[in-house]
Amino acid sequence: MAVGKRDIVIQLVAFDMAGTTIDDHGLVYAALAESVEETGATVAETDLQRWMGAEKSDAIAALMRLGGVTPEPEAVGRAFGRFRDILAAAYLGDPPVAIPGVERAIGELRSRGIAISLTTGFSNDVAAPLLESLGWTVGQGDGHLLDAVVTSSEVAAGRPAPYLIHHAMEKTGITDVRAVLAAGDTVVDLLAAHNAGVLGVGVLTGQLGREELERHPHLAILDSVVDVLRLPEAGSPR
């Protein structure tokens, strides 16, 4: 479901983390599925795909319910704790790496005067060590890669709610949703962009294919976020 392009210069790009800017080898999917299955729920692949990118406690509760287990708050809390433990152990054994070319692409976008924020369904305690392991820091100047990071700990609700994107706008001083592009590898990334009123871009570096992403509102479906550099909206030559 392609959406029309708008003739406006992008001032902020909000990138998702795992599967979009960071290659975590699919370990988030595996950890989420394992933590839910430990509650006795059955996890269908289609349900897992639908809830990837969402705030992880919300995703666990939804997957438990879909898998036949009542998501009592204590059970959801225990499963979320297991998710964090499983993911941390998996990352130690197979550390995440930057998507090829993404650091150069972010640097190029920033050189065009575009602010860069990461948004994520991870909580602070999951996102911070991940970014530290990559050496990605927030601040002004060449010593930093990012202008802002927004985690699920900072908003009232995760994707597909628009709040991660809107809070990224707050952090970077952007007031016009028409000047914002959000990119991610999941359905809820595209839905959050649509709900936020910004341009949504899907990328194919996660677990979903082009056909699955194209069913939802989008400006473009790209092989990688590096290809954002070629979009006219991001300041590339027309």
Side-chain angles (χ1 to χ4, degrees):
M1 186 190 305
V3 297
K5 297 182 180 181
R6 293 172 285 183
D7 189 16
I8 191 167
V9 176
I10 293 300
Q11 300 173 40
L12 167 66
V13 174
F15 288 128
D16 173 52
M17 285 176 55
T20 300
T21 52
I22 300 170
D23 180 3
D24 83 327
H25 321 295
L27 296 176
V28 174
Y29 273 76
L32 185 59
E34 184 176 346
S35 64
V36 174
E37 287 168 347
E38 287 182 358
T39 70
T42 300
V43 180
E45 182 65 24
T46 53
D47 292 333
L48 183 62
Q49 290 176 354
R50 185 186 315 158
W51 282 94
M52 281 305 302
E55 194 277 325
K56 295 304 176 280
S57 291
D58 291 344
I60 288 168
L63 290 169
M64 287 175 65
R65 184 180 295 108
L66 290 165
V69 173
T70 301
E72 300 289 351
E74 288 187 5
V76 173
R78 287 194 299 270
F80 179 66
R82 283 292 296 143
F83 164 75
R84 289 186 301 183
D85 292 344
I86 293 166
L87 186 62
Y91 278 175
L92 283 176
D94 195 4
V97 295
I99 293 288
V102 74
E103 293 174 341
R104 179 190 62 81
I106 288 175
E108 172 62 25
L109 290 169
R110 292 185 91 197
S111 75
R112 297 176 186 177
I114 298 172
I116 302 295
S117 175
L118 296 186
T119 62
T120 179
F122 289 151
S123 54
N124 281 339
D125 57 347
V126 177
L130 177 55
L131 294 174
E132 185 177 357
S133 73
L134 294 167
W136 291 6
T137 57
V138 176
Q140 300 298 311
D142 295 337
H144 302 283
L145 188 70
L146 308 167
D147 295 285
V149 173
V150 183
T151 75
S152 63
S153 301
E154 302 175 67
V155 294
R159 306 176 185 117
Y163 307 134
L164 289 169
I165 296 169
H166 287 166
H167 195 38
M169 293 175 64
E170 287 184 294
K171 285 190 170 186
T172 55
I174 306 301
T175 58
D176 189 346
V177 294
R178 297 172 301 169
V180 180
L181 183 149
D185 64 298
T186 68
V187 169
V188 293
D189 287 314
L190 291 177
L191 294 178
H194 178 70
N195 291 337
V198 307
L199 293 172
V201 169
V203 299
L204 301 175
T205 46
Q207 301 295 310
L208 298 184
R210 182 177 298 276
E211 183 177 343
E212 291 139 318
L213 293 175
E214 282 183 337
R215 297 190 186 109
H216 305 279
H218 62 277
L219 169 70
I221 306 298
L222 306 175
D223 290 335
S224 165
V225 290
V226 174
D227 297 324
V228 167
L229 289 171
R230 299 205 298 266
L231 294 176
E233 290 79 6
S236 70
R238 292 183 181 272

